[in-house]
Amino acid sequence: MNAVPDRDLALYRRLWRYVRPYYGAWAIALVGFLLFASGQPMLAVALKYFVDGLTDPQLARVTLPWGESVNLLPWIPLILVAVALWQGIGTFLGQYGMAKVAAGVVHDLRRDLFAHLLTLPIAYFRDHDSGRTISRLTHDVTMTTTAVTDAVRVLVREGLTVLALLLYLLWSNWRLTLALLIVLPLIALVVRHTQKRLRQAARALQEAVGELTGLATETVRAISDLRAFGAETRIQERFAAANDAEEARQQRLARIAARQTAFTQLLTFTAMGVVLWLVLQLRGDATVGELVAYVSAAGLLPKPLRQLSEVGSRFARGLAGAESAFQLLDTPPEPETGHYAPPHSAPPPAAASTVSPPPPSPPTRAPPALLPTRSPQPRFSTGTHPTRPHPP
């Protein structure tokens, strides 16, 4: 087996581990897809009884399991509404279940990436662009949902729809259906041929987006330095080159996917033309309603087959994002070579003593401020009047 499919399978298995905690939501989505797929043949059967009832009312009568015969022609409009409601319930369950799985996978993977990011050595952040690292944590993780949810949703829902329609076609007219089945191996060859090119284009696009994000992040962080040194023109030229590269890789991926879809559609409608020609040749005793129902059921096949042919590009995008995220997870953390000693705890408080503390000493009074002293007054004898001193 080729090394690329083996590596993709191992990568997808690793990514699928993040889906395991959400098997309940995934099972709900699967039930919804079954409901939606089973409604497609119901439309063809209702159309058969409607057309046959217009030509001959007896052909629209069916016998119920308890033996009662019922004419389905008046009930066809209500049956179509019931089928639409049936498929609507299936669509709701399928989309809600897959959305829950997608949100859970992104949450868990981003949590593990951030936790591992804190253990990386300083040399990693010095040698790797910070913008590319941030892009892995935000953009690349989100891209993984196309592999675990979007691609699986298309693969399961449209695959079950194709299976249900093919079973009805085989039951209705197996000879015409065998001619239609010839085109399926050709479609498989086209998908296998373009799968490798889609993966390479998706990986190149992932790198271009990371480079663009890194350049923008570094520019925002160092905007003061850029203006101080007058490097606005140079950084603008670098950003324009990275932006043009991202656009070119985006267009290349779209070209490969569109070429595959167009070729698949061409093969499908070629097979439809062969079926219509065989209907004219092998009509036999089939009623008009049976032929119209068969052609209508066969006409419902191109749309799910076209979407199935696009699953390869969805898987390629998702696996490219998962590969980028797992590269960060596989980076060895910084080795723990030191020893951690917890800080010494504060000494425990002293035990309370039973002896009462001595009474507090009375507060000492501040010495009085020294007042200016006056010279002693002279004493006079009796009968004389002292002269009053002048006030100071």
Side-chain angles (χ1 to χ4, degrees):
M1 185 179 292
N2 194 1
V4 174
D6 288 343
R7 185 178 59 189
D8 292 349
L9 184 59
L11 185 63
Y12 197 76
R13 286 178 178 175
R14 184 177 180 182
L15 184 60
W16 195 255
R17 297 173 186 172
Y18 287 89
V19 185
R20 291 177 181 175
Y22 307 98
Y23 272 171
W26 200 90
I28 293 175
L30 182 60
V31 172
F33 294 151
L34 285 171
L35 295 179
F36 177 83
S38 62
Q40 297 294 87
M42 296 180 186
L43 296 175
V45 173
L47 185 61
K48 168 187 176 301
Y49 283 104
F50 182 76
V51 175
D52 284 341
L54 293 178
T55 57
D56 187 2
Q58 294 298 325
L59 297 176
R61 302 190 69 87
V62 294
T63 303
L64 299 179
W66 51 86
E68 182 181 358
S69 180
V70 178
N71 185 12
L72 288 182
L73 185 59
W75 297 95
I76 295 299
L78 185 59
I79 291 176
L80 292 179
V81 175
V83 171
L85 179 61
W86 178 268
Q87 287 188 319
I89 295 174
T91 301
F92 172 78
L93 293 178
Q95 292 184 356
Y96 176 76
M98 280 300 172
K100 186 175 179 61
V101 173
V105 169
V106 171
H107 173 271
D108 295 347
L109 184 56
R110 189 172 289 163
R111 176 200 59 200
D112 294 347
L113 278 176
F114 189 79
H116 186 71
L117 192 68
L118 299 177
T119 65
L120 295 180
I122 301 300
Y124 176 86
F125 300 96
R126 185 176 60 250
D127 299 336
H128 293 77
D129 187 11
S130 60
R132 184 69 185 96
T133 304
I134 295 174
S135 177
R136 287 182 174 180
L137 189 63
T138 56
H139 179 265
D140 295 357
V141 172
T142 306
M143 289 298 297
T144 59
T145 58
T146 59
V148 297
T149 56
D150 294 347
V152 173
R153 173 180 57 82
V154 174
L155 184 63
V156 175
R157 188 185 67 180
E158 308 303 331
L160 290 174
T161 300
V162 171
L163 180 61
L165 290 174
L166 287 178
L167 290 177
Y168 171 76
L169 294 176
L170 287 172
W171 173 78
S172 180
N173 194 324
W174 63 271
R175 290 179 298 179
L176 294 177
T177 308
L178 291 180
L180 186 62
L181 292 177
I182 296 176
V183 75
L184 295 182
L186 297 177
I187 295 176
L189 290 176
V190 172
V191 172
R192 183 178 180 181
H193 176 70
T194 57
Q195 180 67 27
K196 184 178 180 180
R197 299 182 61 189
L198 284 171
R199 178 68 186 278
Q200 293 174 352
R203 188 183 297 113
L205 177 61
Q206 205 78 19
E207 294 297 329
V209 172
E211 182 180 357
L212 193 64
T213 306
L215 187 59
T217 304
E218 296 298 332
T219 301
V220 172
R221 289 182 176 178
I223 188 65
S224 299
D225 298 335
L226 291 175
R227 291 181 177 178
F229 290 95
E232 294 93 337
T233 304
R234 182 179 177 184
I235 198 66
Q236 188 174 3
E237 292 175 354
R238 288 182 57 191
F239 186 84
N243 195 23
D244 294 342
E246 192 271 341
E247 181 186 11
R249 292 173 183 179
Q250 190 84 263
Q251 291 178 358
R252 181 172 180 267
L253 180 63
R255 258 195 323 269
I256 296 174
R259 189 183 304 120
Q260 175 184 344
T261 302
F263 196 70
T264 302
Q265 192 170 358
L266 176 62
L267 290 176
T268 304
F269 279 96
T270 301
M272 283 291 301
V274 173
V275 167
L276 292 178
W277 181 80
L278 291 175
V279 166
L280 299 176
Q281 305 298 324
L282 304 176
R283 176 177 178 179
D285 56 351
T287 63
V288 176
E290 291 175 349
L291 294 178
V292 171
Y294 185 90
V295 173
S296 300
L300 295 174
L301 281 175
K303 180 178 179 294
L305 287 176
R306 177 176 55 83
Q307 293 187 356
L308 286 175
S309 66
E310 298 174 356
V311 169
S313 63
R314 296 175 184 266
F315 272 114
R317 290 172 181 265
L319 291 181
E323 185 179 16
S324 176
F326 288 146
Q327 283 178 357
L328 181 60
L329 279 178
D330 294 337
T331 304
E334 186 174 8
E336 296 288 345
T337 57
H339 300 282
Y340 173 74
H344 297 288
S345 57
S353 176
T354 57
V355 181
S356 61
S361 59
T364 58
R365 300 180 62 181
L370 296 178
L371 299 177
T373 59
R374 295 181 178 180
S375 59
Q377 301 294 330
R379 293 180 175 270
F380 299 96
S381 60
T382 308
T384 62
H385 297 279
T387 302
R388 294 181 180 273
H390 295 285

